[in-house]
Structures are given as structure tokens and as C-alpha cells.
Amino acid sequence: MRGTSFTETLYGTLRLGADGRDRRVRLDLRAEADEVLRPHRTTTARLSGRLRIAGSGESPDVSGELEISPIARRRIRYRLSFRLGGRSLALDGWKSVTWRHPVTSMTVLPFTLYEEGAGVGAGTLCFPLTTGLLPFLLGFRFPRREDPARYAAPRWDGSPGRTEVWYTTLTDPATGTGVWLHHELTAPADGSAPVAHGWVATFPREGKVRHARFGPAPWPVPGPADGFRAAGVTSTPGQLNGAAGDFHWDLTEEALDAPLFTFPRWSWWRPLLPAAHLLPAARAAYHGALHDGERTLTLRAAPGASARIHGHGNARRWAWLHADLGAGDVLEIVAATANRPGLRRLPPLVFLRLRHRGRTWPRRPERSAAGLLGVGRFSARIDGPEWTATGRTALRRIRVEVSRPADRTLALEYRDPDGSRAVCRNSEGADARILLERWWGRWRTEAAWTLHGTAHTEVGDR
């Protein structure tokens, strides 16, 4: 199924109570509907955005609902709620569509402002046709609407020499502790029985990193249809629980965003590449409890994400980053050199996906790894505890700097299906600096983020 998303900016004035003067207003909105927009029917969309009122400040977390029904009900209704200056306010207004004045009725929005059900202001917002129409039309997207749960099912088809991973990373907002849950299925290259194993680790802001392994245990054949279930540990859509060593945990997962394909979408269903990687939900919130033998974390809406990997084994060397940037933005990077003969001496291929203001950049995963006709490929330098990734497209460029604190890093050994050894150095409490720039006659900063102890990263080699 496909949905509809678009952005809209409205300008106007607002008169508050008995103030008597008009205040300038700007409203930036993003609309998302779970179906394709059909003007002759009624479509409901979710709204999010930012409201600015001159002399009163701004609200960066506007949310609400948009009813689009220009023919069936002859109206387009906006209902928004937000906080401004400590006050909880609601905006309600609609465009009354009439064929006698089609342009005015589709672009002018009278509205009323309410506080606790009582009207406290009124105003008018307008859509600027001259400067806004073209960006508005070009901003329409019809994204796929997918169930994240479909990507939890095992992809292993019984072939030898394969590995499959379910992993979750999150940060406890109360203590700043990072958590890593890794679940893995390995089908040995010699055709012997598949095994399940994994580990759990905590990365407190102060104190030592703790971890425990579980397995190896037999992998049931046929395997579970909904995720990882082995060695007394479960990782399925919406649920993570188990015990290992001094650890025990029982968590629920709430998906907050659509799937994010780090590698090309087709690589998940057609295993032609050495590996494939995706996030069933680009962002998720975790609730529940986890005990690591020393402390108990009580998680409430802890930000993080779960990811999936399937392939032939680990890369020759690799770097990974997951960064929740706040306000719905998220960055995912996998930079890797394949372990196949002929590819081992190549520089890392960079798969970079930035979801910013509801859009994913670059639009296709291949763009960062292969460039456009071989030109403009993104690059990465993987050197010790710090690594960087840089790249650009026609109008944007990005620089990412990642640092792993030594006291919040855990080194663990992997074994590939062929028995070869690889080592990863993981930190769920890393630092990251991200600079996104856009070309407007010269390079200008579009957004910048600095993460202190909340970035999730890993560097591995052989």
C-alpha cells in the first residue's frame, strides 16, 4: 500500500483576545496520510510542524489532523494542538471550498484559537501561490506503507554458509545508559546444524561496561515465523525478553517510524550482495525493565531501534552508526569492505541514510555507495576509536564524525559461518557530530547535530 505526504507553509495574522493588534504568524506543516490522496473522497492525514507567532514565541511540536474533502464535503479542515509560553492551545479552522471563488477558497484559512475550550483568538492564514505552489507540488510523495513486523521473520532458507542477525540498541533517557541486544543465527559453511547465540550489554555513563552471552543453542527447523526464539531468548515484533548470566530483561517495543532500508530494498529479498541491512522501524520507543547484575533499568519511552542483517558473514572491516537526532530525525550509516576475493582491497562502500523532516536522503541507498554514474560516491575513514564519513549530492553535503570513548567500548569476537574470526568494538554511548549543508549559491548550514554519549556505533575488522 502507498500513502501520501506533503509539506505546506502558511502565512497570516492572529489577534489574541482583547489585545487589539494583529500578530504575524507562520505555520510550517507536514501532512502524512495512510492512503493515496483522492480529491473526490475524504482523506484524513496526520499533521506535524512548527508555529511561529511574532511577539509570543514559537512552538516546535505542533501536531494534529487534516481533513481533505474539497468535493465530498467542500472543505479542508485543520485541527492542531500545541504548547506556547506554558499554555496548551488548539487551532481549529477550515477552508470552505466554493467553485465561485476556487483560488481564494482553496488558499485562505480562517481559524480560531482555543484554550481549555474557550476562544482566545482568531486569525487568517494564506497559502502564497506565487512562491509556494511549485515547492508544494514538487514535495508530494507517495511512500510505501509497510508493516515493520514483516521484516522480523527469518530469511534463512536452509543454505549453508549464512548468518542472520536481529539486534536492538537503545538509550535509557533517565540514566544515559546504553543497551545492546544481539541475536544471531549461524548456519555453518560445512553444512552442520545451525546454531543460535548472542549477547546483551549495558554501557553506563559511569562504571564498567557489562555483558553476558547466551547460547550456542540448536536452531529449530523449521524456525519461528515471527523472529528469533532460541536459548531462552526472544526477539519478535513488539517484544524482547530473556536471560543470560546475571542479566534478565523484559521489554516492549513501540515502532515510531516507517522501515528504513540502509541497503537497496531489493537486496533484502534477493540476496545477491554479500549482506543486506535494514531497520524495520527507523525509530522505536522501549518500555520495561532490564537488570544487569548490578542495577535495574526501568525504561520508559527509551529511544532506539531494532535492525536486521542477513548475509554470508562479516565484512573485511566495517563501521556502523545509529544516531537518533531528535524531532523525528535519524541517521544510519554502514561503511564496509566486503570479504570476498577481489573486493578486500577496495575502500569501504558507504551506505548512508538520513531521515530529516520526514524525508530520506539520499533518496536511494545506491547513491551514497556507488555515486551517480560512478561520480560522487560517499567515503569513510575508519581509524581506531574515531571514524568519519563524508559525501555530497548535487545540492547537499554531509560530514559525520564519530568517537568511541575507551571506557564505554566493548570488544567482542564473532565467528563467521566458515569459522573465521572477526572482532567488533562496540559503544552504545558514543559521541557524534553531524553537519548537513545545502547549496544556495554557496554552502550554507541546513542542520547540525552534536550527540554526547547517545550515539550507537561499532567498528570491526579481522
Side-chain angles (χ1 to χ4, degrees):
M1 295 180 62
R2 290 189 177 272
T4 304
S5 66
F6 59 89
T7 58
E8 181 180 26
T9 299
L10 301 170
Y11 302 88
T13 57
L14 165 68
R15 182 168 295 179
L16 286 172
D19 189 309
R21 65 187 181 92
D22 290 334
R23 302 167 184 259
R24 296 175 63 85
V25 179
R26 172 172 171 163
L27 180 60
D28 297 286
L29 292 175
R30 177 171 184 82
E32 295 182 309
D34 293 329
E35 58 183 315
V36 175
L37 178 63
R38 295 178 174 86
H40 63 286
R41 298 182 180 179
T42 299
T43 303
T44 301
R46 298 176 298 278
L47 288 176
S48 59
R50 179 185 298 268
L51 175 69
R52 300 174 177 89
I53 302 176
S56 299
E58 66 177 77
S59 174
D61 297 312
V62 174
S63 62
E65 184 179 83
L66 175 64
E67 177 193 299
I68 308 171
S69 186
I71 296 178
R73 297 181 180 177
R74 294 189 178 182
R75 72 180 185 188
I76 302 174
R77 185 173 187 177
Y78 297 71
R79 284 177 286 193
L80 303 170
S81 59
F82 56 94
R83 291 188 63 82
L84 186 68
R87 304 168 65 184
S88 296
L89 301 172
L91 183 153
D92 189 5
W94 59 85
K95 303 171 183 176
S96 299
V97 180
T98 170
W99 306 120
R100 295 180 59 187
H101 306 286
V103 175
T104 302
S105 63
M106 290 284 284
T107 58
V108 176
L109 172 67
F111 68 89
T112 303
L113 206 60
Y114 295 92
E115 183 176 19
E116 297 181 353
V120 294
T124 303
L125 290 167
C126 298
F127 177 80
L129 281 175
T130 305
T131 58
L133 182 59
L134 184 59
F136 174 72
L137 295 176
L138 294 177
F140 266 81
R141 298 288 185 271
F142 302 95
R144 297 175 186 266
R145 295 295 173 187
E146 299 179 288
D147 180 5
R150 69 181 298 216
Y151 297 106
R155 292 288 299 144
W156 184 58
D157 61 1
S159 303
R162 303 289 292 185
T163 187
E164 189 161 355
V165 176
W166 297 252
Y167 72 83
T168 297
T169 60
L170 60 96
T171 301
D172 176 20
T175 65
T177 301
V179 177
W180 180 23
L181 287 162
H182 180 101
H183 318 76
E184 185 166 333
L185 158 66
T186 301
D190 61 8
S192 54
V195 295
H197 66 102
W199 51 82
V200 56
T202 53
F203 300 75
R205 286 198 178 274
E206 297 181 0
K208 66 178 182 178
V209 175
R210 296 178 57 84
H211 81 283
R213 291 181 181 264
F214 53 86
W219 179 261
V221 179
D226 58 350
F228 181 98
R229 294 178 183 270
V233 175
T234 297
S235 176
T236 56
Q239 192 66 44
L240 297 150
N241 54 55
D246 293 333
F247 284 75
H248 54 85
W249 62 95
D250 187 3
L251 307 176
T252 58
E253 178 183 69
E254 177 188 0
L256 300 177
D257 206 345
L260 181 64
F261 289 83
T262 321
F263 287 32
R265 180 187 295 268
W266 55 261
S267 68
W268 186 253
W269 306 112
R270 300 177 180 84
L272 303 178
L273 299 179
H277 181 279
L278 69 85
L279 283 72
R283 296 179 300 112
Y286 295 86
H287 316 268
L290 181 148
H291 182 73
D292 67 0
E294 289 191 353
R295 66 187 68 82
T296 298
L297 299 177
T298 301
L299 304 176
R300 296 184 178 89
S306 289
R308 296 279 281 111
I309 303 171
H310 77 82
H312 296 277
N314 294 287
R316 186 70 175 179
R317 60 188 179 116
W318 70 92
W320 159 80
L321 172 71
H322 174 78
D324 189 316
L325 307 175
D329 297 342
V330 65
L331 174 65
E332 192 81 12
I333 303 176
V334 175
T337 296
N339 196 37
R340 290 182 175 178
L343 301 178
R344 298 172 182 172
R345 296 183 180 275
L346 296 178
L349 290 180
V350 179
F351 292 91
L352 183 149
R353 308 289 278 154
L354 172 65
R355 187 162 286 173
H356 176 47
R357 294 177 180 171
R359 297 185 181 180
T360 304
W361 174 85
R363 290 185 62 184
R364 298 189 62 85
E366 300 92 332
R367 178 64 180 84
S368 62
L372 185 62
L373 301 178
V375 178
R377 188 172 71 83
F378 288 31
S379 62
R381 293 187 60 183
I382 306 172
D383 300 316
E386 297 184 355
W387 63 276
T388 61
T390 58
R392 60 168 291 182
T393 57
L395 295 177
R396 282 189 175 91
R397 70 180 182 184
I398 192 169
R399 179 175 179 82
V400 182
E401 301 174 354
V402 186
S403 176
R404 291 182 290 110
D407 61 345
R408 303 188 75 185
T409 297
L410 175 65
L412 288 176
E413 182 178 298
Y414 290 75
R415 290 287 176 175
D416 278 347
D418 63 2
S420 61
R421 173 179 173 273
V423 177
C424 77
R425 298 164 185 85
N426 183 288
S427 177
E428 304 302 320
D431 304 328
R433 295 177 297 277
I434 301 113
L435 176 63
L436 178 67
E437 296 177 295
R438 187 177 178 89
W439 179 259
W440 292 104
R442 61 182 178 86
W443 289 110
R444 301 183 183 181
T445 299
E446 180 176 351
W449 300 271
T450 301
L451 280 65
H452 295 292
T454 59
H456 307 274
T457 188
E458 180 176 291
V459 172
D461 55 28
R462 294 177 180 270

mmCIF file of all heavy atoms in Angstrom, residues 226-246:
data_model
loop_
_atom_site.group_PDB
_atom_site.id
_atom_site.type_symbol
_atom_site.label_atom_id
_atom_site.label_comp_id
_atom_site.label_asym_id
_atom_site.label_seq_id
_atom_site.Cartn_x
_atom_site.Cartn_y
_atom_site.Cartn_z
ATOM 1 N N ASP A 226 8.149 -15.563 13.373
ATOM 2 C CA ASP A 226 7.997 -14.160 13.758
ATOM 3 C C ASP A 226 9.264 -13.527 14.309
ATOM 4 O O ASP A 226 9.209 -12.422 14.854
ATOM 5 C CB ASP A 226 6.884 -14.017 14.791
ATOM 6 C CG ASP A 226 7.127 -14.861 16.040
ATOM 7 O OD1 ASP A 226 8.048 -15.698 16.023
ATOM 8 O OD2 ASP A 226 6.391 -14.681 17.028
ATOM 9 N N GLY A 227 10.433 -14.180 14.185
ATOM 10 C CA GLY A 227 11.659 -13.561 14.676
ATOM 11 C C GLY A 227 12.620 -14.564 15.249
ATOM 12 O O GLY A 227 12.754 -15.681 14.756
ATOM 13 N N PHE A 228 13.296 -14.185 16.330
ATOM 14 C CA PHE A 228 14.297 -15.019 16.985
ATOM 15 C C PHE A 228 13.704 -15.599 18.254
ATOM 16 O O PHE A 228 13.257 -14.865 19.134
ATOM 17 C CB PHE A 228 15.541 -14.176 17.302
ATOM 18 C CG PHE A 228 16.666 -14.940 17.954
ATOM 19 C CD1 PHE A 228 17.729 -15.407 17.202
ATOM 20 C CD2 PHE A 228 16.672 -15.161 19.325
ATOM 21 C CE1 PHE A 228 18.778 -16.096 17.806
ATOM 22 C CE2 PHE A 228 17.710 -15.853 19.938
ATOM 23 C CZ PHE A 228 18.761 -16.319 19.172
ATOM 24 N N ARG A 229 13.719 -16.914 18.356
ATOM 25 C CA ARG A 229 13.271 -17.620 19.549
ATOM 26 C C ARG A 229 14.197 -18.803 19.767
ATOM 27 O O ARG A 229 14.048 -19.839 19.116
ATOM 28 C CB ARG A 229 11.824 -18.109 19.421
ATOM 29 C CG ARG A 229 10.757 -17.021 19.329
ATOM 30 C CD ARG A 229 9.381 -17.633 19.164
ATOM 31 N NE ARG A 229 8.334 -16.651 19.014
ATOM 32 C CZ ARG A 229 7.649 -16.117 20.017
ATOM 33 N NH1 ARG A 229 7.908 -16.486 21.257
ATOM 34 N NH2 ARG A 229 6.703 -15.228 19.786
ATOM 35 N N ALA A 230 15.152 -18.661 20.661
ATOM 36 C CA ALA A 230 16.104 -19.731 20.938
ATOM 37 C C ALA A 230 16.875 -19.386 22.193
ATOM 38 O O ALA A 230 16.957 -18.215 22.586
ATOM 39 C CB ALA A 230 17.055 -19.927 19.765
ATOM 40 N N ALA A 231 17.463 -20.402 22.829
ATOM 41 C CA ALA A 231 18.314 -20.236 24.010
ATOM 42 C C ALA A 231 17.606 -19.482 25.130
ATOM 43 O O ALA A 231 18.252 -18.787 25.914
ATOM 44 C CB ALA A 231 19.612 -19.522 23.627
ATOM 45 N N GLY A 232 16.279 -19.609 25.196
ATOM 46 C CA GLY A 232 15.530 -18.909 26.231
ATOM 47 C C GLY A 232 15.414 -17.418 26.017
ATOM 48 O O GLY A 232 15.070 -16.668 26.941
ATOM 49 N N VAL A 233 15.682 -16.949 24.802
ATOM 50 C CA VAL A 233 15.667 -15.521 24.475
ATOM 51 C C VAL A 233 14.721 -15.296 23.303
ATOM 52 O O VAL A 233 14.657 -16.108 22.371
ATOM 53 C CB VAL A 233 17.084 -15.035 24.121
ATOM 54 C CG1 VAL A 233 17.057 -13.587 23.652
ATOM 55 C CG2 VAL A 233 18.010 -15.186 25.326
ATOM 56 N N THR A 234 14.003 -14.186 23.342
ATOM 57 C CA THR A 234 13.036 -13.863 22.290
ATOM 58 C C THR A 234 13.280 -12.453 21.775
ATOM 59 O O THR A 234 13.493 -11.520 22.545
ATOM 60 C CB THR A 234 11.597 -13.951 22.834
ATOM 61 O OG1 THR A 234 11.330 -15.297 23.234
ATOM 62 C CG2 THR A 234 10.586 -13.533 21.781
ATOM 63 N N SER A 235 13.248 -12.309 20.447
ATOM 64 C CA SER A 235 13.237 -11.001 19.788
ATOM 65 C C SER A 235 12.223 -11.079 18.660
ATOM 66 O O SER A 235 12.506 -11.600 17.574
ATOM 67 C CB SER A 235 14.622 -10.644 19.236
ATOM 68 O OG SER A 235 14.565 -9.423 18.519
ATOM 69 N N THR A 236 11.034 -10.589 18.930
ATOM 70 C CA THR A 236 9.939 -10.614 17.971
ATOM 71 C C THR A 236 9.321 -9.228 17.926
ATOM 72 O O THR A 236 9.597 -8.387 18.773
ATOM 73 C CB THR A 236 8.875 -11.652 18.379
ATOM 74 O OG1 THR A 236 8.418 -11.349 19.712
ATOM 75 C CG2 THR A 236 9.445 -13.068 18.354
ATOM 76 N N PRO A 237 8.484 -8.945 16.919
ATOM 77 C CA PRO A 237 7.891 -7.609 16.835
ATOM 78 C C PRO A 237 7.160 -7.213 18.117
ATOM 79 O O PRO A 237 6.253 -7.901 18.571
ATOM 80 C CB PRO A 237 6.926 -7.742 15.655
ATOM 81 C CG PRO A 237 7.501 -8.818 14.820
ATOM 82 C CD PRO A 237 8.096 -9.797 15.782
ATOM 83 N N GLY A 238 7.616 -6.128 18.716
ATOM 84 C CA GLY A 238 6.977 -5.613 19.914
ATOM 85 C C GLY A 238 7.432 -6.239 21.211
ATOM 86 O O GLY A 238 7.006 -5.798 22.285
ATOM 87 N N GLN A 239 8.332 -7.244 21.170
ATOM 88 C CA GLN A 239 8.690 -7.930 22.403
ATOM 89 C C GLN A 239 10.146 -8.374 22.395
ATOM 90 O O GLN A 239 10.629 -8.954 21.421
ATOM 91 C CB GLN A 239 7.795 -9.164 22.600
ATOM 92 C CG GLN A 239 7.888 -9.783 23.975
ATOM 93 C CD GLN A 239 7.345 -8.869 25.061
ATOM 94 O OE1 GLN A 239 6.285 -8.251 24.889
ATOM 95 N NE2 GLN A 239 8.051 -8.758 26.178
ATOM 96 N N LEU A 240 10.858 -8.108 23.499
ATOM 97 C CA LEU A 240 12.238 -8.558 23.706
ATOM 98 C C LEU A 240 12.340 -9.043 25.145
ATOM 99 O O LEU A 240 12.120 -8.263 26.078
ATOM 100 C CB LEU A 240 13.231 -7.408 23.485
ATOM 101 C CG LEU A 240 13.289 -6.795 22.092
ATOM 102 C CD1 LEU A 240 13.682 -5.327 22.174
ATOM 103 C CD2 LEU A 240 14.297 -7.543 21.233
ATOM 104 N N ASN A 241 12.670 -10.311 25.328
ATOM 105 C CA ASN A 241 12.845 -10.799 26.690
ATOM 106 C C ASN A 241 13.803 -11.975 26.708
ATOM 107 O O ASN A 241 14.084 -12.587 25.676
ATOM 108 C CB ASN A 241 11.500 -11.168 27.342
ATOM 109 C CG ASN A 241 10.702 -12.143 26.496
ATOM 110 O OD1 ASN A 241 11.199 -13.199 26.139
ATOM 111 N ND2 ASN A 241 9.460 -11.784 26.185
ATOM 112 N N GLY A 242 14.340 -12.260 27.901
ATOM 113 C CA GLY A 242 15.259 -13.375 28.036
ATOM 114 C C GLY A 242 16.136 -13.218 29.251
ATOM 115 O O GLY A 242 15.976 -12.295 30.063
ATOM 116 N N ALA A 243 17.111 -14.119 29.367
ATOM 117 C CA ALA A 243 18.058 -14.101 30.466
ATOM 118 C C ALA A 243 19.378 -14.663 29.973
ATOM 119 O O ALA A 243 19.413 -15.574 29.144
ATOM 120 C CB ALA A 243 17.535 -14.920 31.648
ATOM 121 N N ALA A 244 20.488 -14.095 30.497
ATOM 122 C CA ALA A 244 21.839 -14.562 30.164
ATOM 123 C C ALA A 244 22.765 -14.135 31.291
ATOM 124 O O ALA A 244 22.853 -12.933 31.593
ATOM 125 C CB ALA A 244 22.303 -13.969 28.836
ATOM 126 N N GLY A 245 23.429 -15.096 31.925
ATOM 127 C CA GLY A 245 24.299 -14.758 33.039
ATOM 128 C C GLY A 245 23.524 -14.032 34.123
ATOM 129 O O GLY A 245 22.473 -14.501 34.586
ATOM 130 N N ASP A 246 24.049 -12.877 34.556
ATOM 131 C CA ASP A 246 23.360 -12.080 35.576
ATOM 132 C C ASP A 246 22.270 -11.191 34.989
ATOM 133 O O ASP A 246 21.587 -10.485 35.733
ATOM 134 C CB ASP A 246 24.373 -11.190 36.309
ATOM 135 C CG ASP A 246 25.365 -11.998 37.138
ATOM 136 O OD1 ASP A 246 24.999 -13.114 37.562
ATOM 137 O OD2 ASP A 246 26.500 -11.529 37.348
#
